[in-house]
Amino acid sequence: MSKPLRSSRRAFLRKAGFAVAGLRLKAEMAASARPTALDPSTLTPFVDPLPIPAMARAEGVRPNPEDPGRSIPLYRIAMRETHVRVHRDLPPTRMWGFDGRFPGPTMETQSGQAVIVEWENQLPVRHFLPIDHTLHGAEAGLPEGRSVVHLHGGRTPADSDGYPENWTVPGKSQTCFYPSGQHAALLFYHDHAMGINRLNIYAGLQGFFIVRDPREDALQLPAGNYEIPLMITDRLLTRDGQLFYPVSDRPDRPWVPEVFGNAILVNGKLLPYHEVEPRKYRLRLMNGSNGRFYRFGLSNRAAFQVIANDQGLLEAPVTAKRLPMAPAERADMVVDFAPLEGTTVRLVSDSFDILEFRVAKQSAPDTGAAPAVLHTPAIQLGEADAVRTRRLTLDEHVDDVQRSMGMLLNNTPWHAPVTEKPVLRTTEIWELVNLTDDSHPIHLHLVRFRILDRRPFDVFDYQNMGRLRFTGPAAAPEPLESGWKDTVRADPGMVTRIIIPFEGYAGRYVWHCHILEHEDNEMMRPYEVLPPGANGG
Ligand code: C2O
Ligand code: CU
Ligand code: CU
């Protein structure tokens, strides 16, 4: 049976920083040892133009549920099986996509302009990726083509938020109301079906949802053709271009703790190119990978400006040469191609090439800007505003041969009663105590938050003596992480503190690790926002 991670071997490996790298290397080696594995470096790079996802179009109007006298746009988007050509020299790849596309169509609305979406499940009844029926919520006999859509980063009423157990089956649809009462930000929608979410997203079920507002519009950032959303996802492919999702060596329990692909797709293309003018562009990056962390940069090592992250604009641009991004994080970078007229430059992540920019000689006049001040914060949020601090552990369970059996939040499985019950319109601090060897991107539905700090502590002491002993000073978040977030990297051996105003709606939501393999295997918990005035729990 599984037991909490206590082994000194793993503790040593963790301290030496080997464990994570070792696991990844093993996964990558296993993948490349498959006889049918595609080695993307054998393909001619930069022969396909970068696809820009099409905009979703409203199909009509419906009364606004919060204000029935007014009507709001209605969208209908169907999920179905599709075939996507990820590279000129590969046959089309079987995928599942919203509107039969990968990424799905981009939705766009103004802050406060509500929309309704009918998400239609037209998926096949059988899955084409390996379901692990031992996972909670993925038991044999459940419909394999089930799905439920969540708008990541959306301030959405609970019954439209896509609770993981509220999936629909092929032939049915789910109607969601998105009031979008929030600041301009790059959100995304994706499947969230209990126990198979990692497979549904790997199959292609995600798309962009952009919220705009006058505050951002007034900045005159590069727009139109000069604003490019980039969904970055890694995949393992077979030589005939089909998705490969790795399995463990136990046929009864195919779940693997992490998946890393060597084919990095940008908006569904492998190694595409994009023609740009010698001027400023706003690149809106989203890490849509199941488990891969990136460190983006430009191949010429030039600096760029980061102006936004998960929940919108930073207060001021941050000049950077490297942009780390965990799964589900978003960031906007402003890149000035003017000095690169007539040449090429690549978006890279460490040793990976991702996208080639071909900079033309001519440009329309560059009116886009990255002003020195992006916004002045309306709310000053301090620790004194918090009514409660919760200490929550991130845990890993391993079996006798040190194989990962799964991760937990606060040592509590999904189906245990709700333990986190913040009250609407109060602020809390959550301390994420990471006892595992891995970095976990922790995401809360409904809310936005700020990172207070990260502080190293003695994991061994915590596990064996139950006491939190810090081993160094607290470090403020990096400037790149200084804005409003909805996903935070909780690093191993660190206590990561976030401060969260619970705004929006009362009801049942979830929080979880956004490494999808972890999320599907118990690293997710419900939480409940209680109505104002209630006694929190
Ligand atoms: Cu991207 Cu539970 O979400
Ligand atoms: Cu979410
Ligand atoms: Cu995790």
Side-chain angles (χ1 to χ4, degrees), residues 212-265:
R212 304 201 181 269
D213 66 15
R215 183 185 77 174
E216 187 187 271
D217 294 348
L219 295 172
Q220 311 226 297
L221 297 166
N225 289 337
Y226 309 121
E227 175 189 347
I228 308 174
L230 300 172
M231 182 183 289
I232 295 157
T233 58
D234 64 333
R235 293 292 183 271
L236 290 162
L237 297 173
T238 59
R239 271 192 220 147
D240 58 353
Q242 299 310 301
L243 292 182
F244 175 81
Y245 188 92
V247 289
S248 75
D249 50 14
R250 291 177 47 183
D252 58 320
R253 199 174 194 279
W255 177 83
V256 290
E258 275 161 352
V259 173
F260 302 102
N262 52 6
I264 314 278
L265 309 182

Short mmCIF file of all heavy atoms in Angstrom, two decimals, residues 212-265:
data_model
loop_
_atom_site.label_atom_id
_atom_site.label_comp_id
_atom_site.label_asym_id
_atom_site.label_seq_id
_atom_site.Cartn_x
_atom_site.Cartn_y
_atom_site.Cartn_z
N ARG A 212 -11.67 41.98 -22.22
CA ARG A 212 -11.07 43.31 -22.44
C ARG A 212 -11.75 44.33 -21.55
O ARG A 212 -12.87 44.09 -21.07
CB ARG A 212 -11.23 43.71 -23.91
CG ARG A 212 -10.63 42.67 -24.84
CD ARG A 212 -10.32 43.25 -26.20
NE ARG A 212 -9.77 42.24 -27.07
CZ ARG A 212 -8.47 41.97 -27.19
NH1 ARG A 212 -7.58 42.65 -26.49
NH2 ARG A 212 -8.04 41.02 -28.00
N ASP A 213 -11.08 45.46 -21.32
CA ASP A 213 -11.73 46.53 -20.57
C ASP A 213 -11.15 47.88 -20.99
O ASP A 213 -10.09 47.94 -21.63
CB ASP A 213 -11.66 46.30 -19.05
CG ASP A 213 -10.25 46.36 -18.49
OD1 ASP A 213 -9.33 46.85 -19.17
OD2 ASP A 213 -10.05 45.91 -17.34
N PRO A 214 -11.85 48.97 -20.68
CA PRO A 214 -11.41 50.29 -21.13
C PRO A 214 -10.05 50.68 -20.57
O PRO A 214 -9.27 51.35 -21.26
CB PRO A 214 -12.49 51.23 -20.58
CG PRO A 214 -13.67 50.36 -20.27
CD PRO A 214 -13.13 49.00 -19.96
N ARG A 215 -9.77 50.24 -19.34
CA ARG A 215 -8.48 50.57 -18.74
C ARG A 215 -7.34 50.05 -19.60
O ARG A 215 -6.35 50.75 -19.86
CB ARG A 215 -8.42 49.96 -17.34
CG ARG A 215 -7.17 50.29 -16.57
CD ARG A 215 -7.10 49.56 -15.26
NE ARG A 215 -6.72 48.16 -15.44
CZ ARG A 215 -6.47 47.32 -14.45
NH1 ARG A 215 -6.64 47.73 -13.20
NH2 ARG A 215 -6.12 46.09 -14.67
N GLU A 216 -7.48 48.84 -20.06
CA GLU A 216 -6.44 48.27 -20.90
C GLU A 216 -6.46 48.89 -22.29
O GLU A 216 -5.41 49.22 -22.86
CB GLU A 216 -6.61 46.75 -20.98
CG GLU A 216 -5.46 46.09 -21.70
CD GLU A 216 -5.69 44.60 -21.93
OE1 GLU A 216 -5.33 43.81 -21.06
OE2 GLU A 216 -6.24 44.24 -23.00
N ASP A 217 -7.66 49.06 -22.85
CA ASP A 217 -7.77 49.64 -24.20
C ASP A 217 -7.09 51.00 -24.28
O ASP A 217 -6.47 51.35 -25.28
CB ASP A 217 -9.24 49.79 -24.61
CG ASP A 217 -9.92 48.44 -24.76
OD1 ASP A 217 -9.20 47.40 -24.79
OD2 ASP A 217 -11.17 48.40 -24.83
N ALA A 218 -7.20 51.78 -23.18
CA ALA A 218 -6.66 53.13 -23.18
C ALA A 218 -5.14 53.15 -23.32
O ALA A 218 -4.55 54.17 -23.70
CB ALA A 218 -7.06 53.85 -21.88
N LEU A 219 -4.51 52.02 -23.04
CA LEU A 219 -3.05 51.97 -23.11
C LEU A 219 -2.54 51.87 -24.56
O LEU A 219 -1.35 52.03 -24.80
CB LEU A 219 -2.51 50.79 -22.31
CG LEU A 219 -2.73 50.84 -20.81
CD1 LEU A 219 -2.34 49.53 -20.17
CD2 LEU A 219 -1.95 52.00 -20.20
N GLN A 220 -3.44 51.54 -25.49
CA GLN A 220 -3.04 51.40 -26.89
C GLN A 220 -1.90 50.43 -27.06
O GLN A 220 -0.91 50.69 -27.77
CB GLN A 220 -2.66 52.75 -27.46
CG GLN A 220 -3.72 53.79 -27.15
CD GLN A 220 -4.06 54.59 -28.35
OE1 GLN A 220 -3.22 55.30 -28.88
NE2 GLN A 220 -5.30 54.48 -28.81
N LEU A 221 -2.02 49.29 -26.43
CA LEU A 221 -1.04 48.23 -26.62
C LEU A 221 -1.17 47.71 -28.05
O LEU A 221 -2.20 47.91 -28.68
CB LEU A 221 -1.30 47.11 -25.61
CG LEU A 221 -1.16 47.52 -24.15
CD1 LEU A 221 -1.76 46.47 -23.23
CD2 LEU A 221 0.32 47.74 -23.82
N PRO A 222 -0.13 47.05 -28.56
CA PRO A 222 -0.25 46.50 -29.91
C PRO A 222 -1.50 45.62 -30.01
O PRO A 222 -1.73 44.77 -29.15
CB PRO A 222 1.03 45.66 -30.06
CG PRO A 222 1.99 46.25 -29.07
CD PRO A 222 1.17 46.76 -27.94
N ALA A 223 -2.32 45.85 -31.04
CA ALA A 223 -3.62 45.18 -31.14
C ALA A 223 -3.82 44.65 -32.55
O ALA A 223 -2.99 44.86 -33.44
CB ALA A 223 -4.73 46.15 -30.75
N GLY A 224 -4.96 44.00 -32.76
CA GLY A 224 -5.27 43.46 -34.08
C GLY A 224 -4.24 42.41 -34.48
O GLY A 224 -3.94 41.51 -33.71
N ASN A 225 -3.67 42.57 -35.68
CA ASN A 225 -2.65 41.61 -36.14
C ASN A 225 -1.40 41.62 -35.28
O ASN A 225 -0.55 40.75 -35.42
CB ASN A 225 -2.22 41.93 -37.57
CG ASN A 225 -3.32 41.61 -38.56
OD1 ASN A 225 -4.20 40.80 -38.27
ND2 ASN A 225 -3.28 42.26 -39.71
N TYR A 226 -1.28 42.65 -34.47
CA TYR A 226 -0.05 42.79 -33.67
C TYR A 226 -0.21 42.22 -32.26
O TYR A 226 0.65 42.40 -31.41
CB TYR A 226 0.36 44.27 -33.62
CG TYR A 226 0.41 44.87 -35.01
CD1 TYR A 226 -0.38 45.97 -35.36
CD2 TYR A 226 1.23 44.31 -35.99
CE1 TYR A 226 -0.35 46.50 -36.64
CE2 TYR A 226 1.27 44.83 -37.27
CZ TYR A 226 0.48 45.91 -37.60
OH TYR A 226 0.50 46.42 -38.87
N GLU A 227 -1.34 41.61 -32.02
CA GLU A 227 -1.59 40.93 -30.74
C GLU A 227 -1.83 39.45 -31.05
O GLU A 227 -2.78 39.12 -31.76
CB GLU A 227 -2.83 41.53 -30.07
CG GLU A 227 -3.23 40.81 -28.81
CD GLU A 227 -4.59 41.25 -28.26
OE1 GLU A 227 -5.12 42.29 -28.71
OE2 GLU A 227 -5.11 40.54 -27.40
N ILE A 228 -0.97 38.58 -30.54
CA ILE A 228 -1.03 37.17 -30.95
C ILE A 228 -1.13 36.26 -29.74
O ILE A 228 -0.20 36.17 -28.93
CB ILE A 228 0.23 36.79 -31.76
CG1 ILE A 228 0.44 37.80 -32.90
CG2 ILE A 228 0.12 35.39 -32.31
CD1 ILE A 228 1.72 37.57 -33.65
N PRO A 229 -2.25 35.55 -29.61
CA PRO A 229 -2.35 34.56 -28.54
C PRO A 229 -1.59 33.29 -28.93
O PRO A 229 -1.70 32.82 -30.06
CB PRO A 229 -3.85 34.29 -28.43
CG PRO A 229 -4.41 34.63 -29.78
CD PRO A 229 -3.47 35.60 -30.43
N LEU A 230 -0.82 32.76 -28.01
CA LEU A 230 0.00 31.57 -28.29
C LEU A 230 -0.28 30.51 -27.23
O LEU A 230 0.08 30.69 -26.06
CB LEU A 230 1.49 31.93 -28.26
CG LEU A 230 1.97 32.98 -29.28
CD1 LEU A 230 3.42 33.36 -29.00
CD2 LEU A 230 1.83 32.45 -30.71
N MET A 231 -0.93 29.43 -27.65
CA MET A 231 -1.17 28.32 -26.73
C MET A 231 -0.07 27.29 -26.93
O MET A 231 0.07 26.74 -28.01
CB MET A 231 -2.53 27.69 -26.99
CG MET A 231 -2.84 26.56 -26.03
SD MET A 231 -4.40 25.76 -26.39
CE MET A 231 -5.56 27.03 -25.89
N ILE A 232 0.70 27.06 -25.88
CA ILE A 232 1.87 26.21 -26.02
C ILE A 232 1.65 24.90 -25.27
O ILE A 232 1.39 24.90 -24.07
CB ILE A 232 3.13 26.96 -25.57
CG1 ILE A 232 3.30 28.12 -26.57
CG2 ILE A 232 4.36 26.06 -25.60
CD1 ILE A 232 4.06 29.25 -26.11
N THR A 233 1.71 23.80 -26.03
CA THR A 233 1.40 22.49 -25.46
C THR A 233 2.42 21.48 -25.96
O THR A 233 2.75 21.48 -27.14
CB THR A 233 0.01 22.02 -25.93
OG1 THR A 233 -0.02 21.97 -27.35
CG2 THR A 233 -1.10 22.94 -25.45
N ASP A 234 2.93 20.64 -25.08
CA ASP A 234 3.86 19.60 -25.53
C ASP A 234 3.12 18.28 -25.72
O ASP A 234 2.17 17.99 -25.00
CB ASP A 234 5.04 19.44 -24.57
CG ASP A 234 4.60 18.95 -23.19
OD1 ASP A 234 3.43 19.20 -22.81
OD2 ASP A 234 5.41 18.30 -22.51
N ARG A 235 3.54 17.52 -26.70
CA ARG A 235 2.93 16.24 -26.97
C ARG A 235 4.00 15.22 -27.35
O ARG A 235 5.07 15.61 -27.82
CB ARG A 235 1.94 16.34 -28.16
CG ARG A 235 0.70 17.20 -27.91
CD ARG A 235 -0.24 16.57 -26.89
NE ARG A 235 -1.46 17.34 -26.71
CZ ARG A 235 -1.61 18.33 -25.82
NH1 ARG A 235 -0.62 18.70 -25.04
NH2 ARG A 235 -2.77 18.96 -25.70
N LEU A 236 3.67 13.95 -27.14
CA LEU A 236 4.46 12.87 -27.71
C LEU A 236 3.71 12.38 -28.93
O LEU A 236 2.49 12.17 -28.87
CB LEU A 236 4.62 11.72 -26.70
CG LEU A 236 5.52 12.05 -25.50
CD1 LEU A 236 5.26 11.07 -24.36
CD2 LEU A 236 6.99 12.03 -25.93
N LEU A 237 4.43 12.21 -30.03
CA LEU A 237 3.78 11.78 -31.26
C LEU A 237 4.41 10.48 -31.75
O LEU A 237 5.59 10.22 -31.51
CB LEU A 237 3.94 12.85 -32.35
CG LEU A 237 3.29 14.21 -32.08
CD1 LEU A 237 3.69 15.21 -33.17
CD2 LEU A 237 1.77 14.09 -32.01
N THR A 238 3.60 9.69 -32.44
CA THR A 238 4.14 8.51 -33.11
C THR A 238 4.67 8.96 -34.48
O THR A 238 4.39 10.08 -34.92
CB THR A 238 3.05 7.45 -33.31
OG1 THR A 238 2.00 8.03 -34.08
CG2 THR A 238 2.49 6.99 -31.98
N ARG A 239 5.40 8.07 -35.15
CA ARG A 239 5.96 8.47 -36.45
C ARG A 239 4.89 8.78 -37.48
O ARG A 239 5.15 9.51 -38.43
CB ARG A 239 6.88 7.37 -36.97
CG ARG A 239 8.27 7.61 -36.46
CD ARG A 239 9.25 6.73 -37.18
NE ARG A 239 10.20 6.25 -36.18
CZ ARG A 239 10.80 5.09 -36.20
NH1 ARG A 239 10.56 4.25 -37.18
NH2 ARG A 239 11.64 4.77 -35.25
N ASP A 240 3.71 8.18 -37.30
CA ASP A 240 2.65 8.54 -38.24
C ASP A 240 1.80 9.70 -37.70
O ASP A 240 0.66 9.90 -38.10
CB ASP A 240 1.79 7.32 -38.61
CG ASP A 240 1.17 6.68 -37.39
OD1 ASP A 240 1.51 7.08 -36.24
OD2 ASP A 240 0.34 5.77 -37.55
N GLY A 241 2.39 10.45 -36.79
CA GLY A 241 1.81 11.73 -36.40
C GLY A 241 0.64 11.64 -35.43
O GLY A 241 -0.08 12.61 -35.25
N GLN A 242 0.47 10.49 -34.77
CA GLN A 242 -0.66 10.37 -33.85
C GLN A 242 -0.21 10.65 -32.41
O GLN A 242 0.94 10.46 -32.05
CB GLN A 242 -1.27 8.96 -33.96
CG GLN A 242 -1.80 8.68 -35.36
CD GLN A 242 -2.70 9.80 -35.87
OE1 GLN A 242 -3.72 10.13 -35.27
NE2 GLN A 242 -2.31 10.42 -36.99
N LEU A 243 -1.18 11.11 -31.59
CA LEU A 243 -0.87 11.39 -30.19
C LEU A 243 -0.50 10.10 -29.48
O LEU A 243 -1.17 9.08 -29.63
CB LEU A 243 -2.09 11.99 -29.48
CG LEU A 243 -2.54 13.37 -29.88
CD1 LEU A 243 -3.73 13.80 -29.02
CD2 LEU A 243 -1.41 14.39 -29.76
N PHE A 244 0.56 10.17 -28.69
CA PHE A 244 0.92 9.05 -27.84
C PHE A 244 0.85 9.54 -26.40
O PHE A 244 1.47 10.54 -26.05
CB PHE A 244 2.34 8.57 -28.17
CG PHE A 244 2.81 7.49 -27.24
CD1 PHE A 244 2.42 6.18 -27.45
CD2 PHE A 244 3.61 7.78 -26.15
CE1 PHE A 244 2.82 5.17 -26.59
CE2 PHE A 244 4.01 6.78 -25.27
CZ PHE A 244 3.62 5.47 -25.50
N TYR A 245 0.06 8.85 -25.59
CA TYR A 245 0.00 9.19 -24.17
C TYR A 245 0.63 8.03 -23.40
O TYR A 245 0.16 6.90 -23.48
CB TYR A 245 -1.45 9.42 -23.72
CG TYR A 245 -1.51 9.95 -22.30
CD1 TYR A 245 -1.53 11.32 -22.05
CD2 TYR A 245 -1.48 9.08 -21.22
CE1 TYR A 245 -1.53 11.80 -20.75
CE2 TYR A 245 -1.47 9.56 -19.92
CZ TYR A 245 -1.50 10.92 -19.70
OH TYR A 245 -1.47 11.39 -18.41
N PRO A 246 1.73 8.28 -22.67
CA PRO A 246 2.48 7.17 -22.07
C PRO A 246 1.69 6.48 -20.96
O PRO A 246 0.82 7.07 -20.33
CB PRO A 246 3.72 7.86 -21.50
CG PRO A 246 3.40 9.29 -21.42
CD PRO A 246 2.34 9.59 -22.41
N VAL A 247 2.02 5.20 -20.72
CA VAL A 247 1.37 4.42 -19.67
C VAL A 247 2.44 3.82 -18.77
O VAL A 247 3.60 3.69 -19.16
CB VAL A 247 0.51 3.27 -20.26
CG1 VAL A 247 -0.73 3.84 -20.94
CG2 VAL A 247 1.32 2.42 -21.24
N SER A 248 2.04 3.46 -17.57
CA SER A 248 2.96 2.83 -16.63
C SER A 248 3.21 1.39 -17.08
O SER A 248 2.63 0.91 -18.04
CB SER A 248 2.35 2.83 -15.23
OG SER A 248 1.33 1.85 -15.16
N ASP A 249 4.06 0.67 -16.32
CA ASP A 249 4.29 -0.74 -16.68
C ASP A 249 3.26 -1.67 -16.05
O ASP A 249 3.39 -2.87 -16.09
CB ASP A 249 5.72 -1.15 -16.31
CG ASP A 249 6.07 -0.79 -14.88
OD1 ASP A 249 5.12 -0.48 -14.10
OD2 ASP A 249 7.26 -0.80 -14.53
N ARG A 250 2.22 -1.08 -15.43
CA ARG A 250 1.16 -1.92 -14.85
C ARG A 250 -0.11 -1.77 -15.66
O ARG A 250 -0.81 -0.77 -15.57
CB ARG A 250 0.89 -1.47 -13.42
CG ARG A 250 2.04 -1.79 -12.46
CD ARG A 250 1.73 -1.26 -11.08
NE ARG A 250 0.36 -1.61 -10.66
CZ ARG A 250 -0.16 -1.20 -9.50
NH1 ARG A 250 0.53 -0.43 -8.69
NH2 ARG A 250 -1.39 -1.54 -9.18
N PRO A 251 -0.46 -2.81 -16.43
CA PRO A 251 -1.63 -2.71 -17.32
C PRO A 251 -2.92 -2.37 -16.59
O PRO A 251 -3.80 -1.72 -17.13
CB PRO A 251 -1.73 -4.11 -17.94
CG PRO A 251 -0.43 -4.77 -17.67
CD PRO A 251 0.21 -4.11 -16.50
N ASP A 252 -3.03 -2.78 -15.30
CA ASP A 252 -4.25 -2.49 -14.55
C ASP A 252 -4.26 -1.06 -14.03
O ASP A 252 -5.26 -0.58 -13.53
CB ASP A 252 -4.35 -3.45 -13.35
CG ASP A 252 -3.13 -3.33 -12.43
OD1 ASP A 252 -2.00 -3.18 -12.96
OD2 ASP A 252 -3.30 -3.33 -11.19
N ARG A 253 -3.10 -0.36 -14.12
CA ARG A 253 -3.03 0.98 -13.57
C ARG A 253 -2.13 1.85 -14.44
O ARG A 253 -1.00 2.18 -14.08
CB ARG A 253 -2.46 0.91 -12.14
CG ARG A 253 -2.76 2.15 -11.35
CD ARG A 253 -2.32 2.00 -9.89
NE ARG A 253 -2.91 3.05 -9.08
CZ ARG A 253 -2.44 4.29 -9.00
NH1 ARG A 253 -1.37 4.65 -9.67
NH2 ARG A 253 -3.05 5.19 -8.24
N PRO A 254 -2.64 2.22 -15.63
CA PRO A 254 -1.80 2.91 -16.61
C PRO A 254 -1.36 4.33 -16.22
O PRO A 254 -0.45 4.88 -16.84
CB PRO A 254 -2.68 2.96 -17.87
CG PRO A 254 -4.07 2.69 -17.40
CD PRO A 254 -3.98 1.87 -16.15
N TRP A 255 -1.95 4.91 -15.18
CA TRP A 255 -1.63 6.29 -14.79
C TRP A 255 -0.12 6.49 -14.61
O TRP A 255 0.56 5.66 -14.02
CB TRP A 255 -2.34 6.63 -13.48
CG TRP A 255 -2.03 8.00 -12.95
CD1 TRP A 255 -2.61 9.18 -13.33
CD2 TRP A 255 -1.06 8.34 -11.93
NE1 TRP A 255 -2.07 10.22 -12.61
CE2 TRP A 255 -1.12 9.75 -11.75
CE3 TRP A 255 -0.15 7.60 -11.17
CZ2 TRP A 255 -0.31 10.42 -10.84
CZ3 TRP A 255 0.66 8.27 -10.26
CH2 TRP A 255 0.57 9.67 -10.10
N VAL A 256 0.39 7.57 -15.15
CA VAL A 256 1.78 7.97 -14.92
C VAL A 256 1.77 9.33 -14.23
O VAL A 256 0.86 10.13 -14.46
CB VAL A 256 2.60 8.05 -16.22
CG1 VAL A 256 2.86 6.66 -16.79
CG2 VAL A 256 1.92 8.94 -17.26
N PRO A 257 2.76 9.60 -13.37
CA PRO A 257 2.72 10.83 -12.57
C PRO A 257 2.95 12.11 -13.36
O PRO A 257 2.56 13.19 -12.91
CB PRO A 257 3.81 10.63 -11.52
CG PRO A 257 4.66 9.52 -12.00
CD PRO A 257 3.86 8.69 -12.94
N GLU A 258 3.61 12.01 -14.51
CA GLU A 258 3.89 13.22 -15.29
C GLU A 258 4.13 12.84 -16.73
O GLU A 258 4.64 11.77 -17.01
CB GLU A 258 5.13 13.95 -14.74
CG GLU A 258 4.78 14.86 -13.59
CD GLU A 258 5.96 15.26 -12.73
OE1 GLU A 258 7.06 14.72 -12.90
OE2 GLU A 258 5.76 16.14 -11.88
N VAL A 259 3.78 13.73 -17.63
CA VAL A 259 3.98 13.48 -19.06
C VAL A 259 4.73 14.66 -19.66
O VAL A 259 4.33 15.82 -19.46
CB VAL A 259 2.62 13.32 -19.79
CG1 VAL A 259 2.83 13.23 -21.30
CG2 VAL A 259 1.89 12.10 -19.28
N PHE A 260 5.81 14.36 -20.36
CA PHE A 260 6.55 15.42 -21.04
C PHE A 260 6.75 15.03 -22.49
O PHE A 260 7.31 13.98 -22.78
CB PHE A 260 7.92 15.66 -20.36
CG PHE A 260 7.77 16.01 -18.93
CD1 PHE A 260 8.01 15.08 -17.93
CD2 PHE A 260 7.36 17.29 -18.56
CE1 PHE A 260 7.84 15.40 -16.60
CE2 PHE A 260 7.19 17.62 -17.23
CZ PHE A 260 7.44 16.67 -16.25
N GLY A 261 6.26 15.87 -23.38
CA GLY A 261 6.39 15.58 -24.79
C GLY A 261 7.58 16.32 -25.38
O GLY A 261 7.98 17.37 -24.89
N ASN A 262 8.14 15.75 -26.46
CA ASN A 262 9.25 16.43 -27.13
C ASN A 262 8.79 17.21 -28.37
O ASN A 262 9.59 17.83 -29.05
CB ASN A 262 10.38 15.45 -27.48
CG ASN A 262 9.84 14.25 -28.25
OD1 ASN A 262 8.67 14.22 -28.63
ND2 ASN A 262 10.69 13.27 -28.48
N ALA A 263 7.49 17.14 -28.66
CA ALA A 263 6.95 17.93 -29.77
C ALA A 263 6.18 19.11 -29.15
O ALA A 263 5.16 18.91 -28.49
CB ALA A 263 6.02 17.09 -30.63
N ILE A 264 6.71 20.32 -29.31
CA ILE A 264 6.06 21.48 -28.69
C ILE A 264 5.19 22.15 -29.75
O ILE A 264 5.70 22.65 -30.76
CB ILE A 264 7.11 22.50 -28.19
CG1 ILE A 264 8.25 21.80 -27.43
CG2 ILE A 264 6.44 23.58 -27.34
CD1 ILE A 264 8.01 21.45 -26.02
N LEU A 265 3.89 22.12 -29.52
CA LEU A 265 2.96 22.71 -30.48
C LEU A 265 2.60 24.13 -30.05
O LEU A 265 2.39 24.40 -28.88
CB LEU A 265 1.67 21.89 -30.55
CG LEU A 265 1.80 20.38 -30.77
CD1 LEU A 265 0.41 19.75 -30.87
CD2 LEU A 265 2.60 20.07 -32.03
#
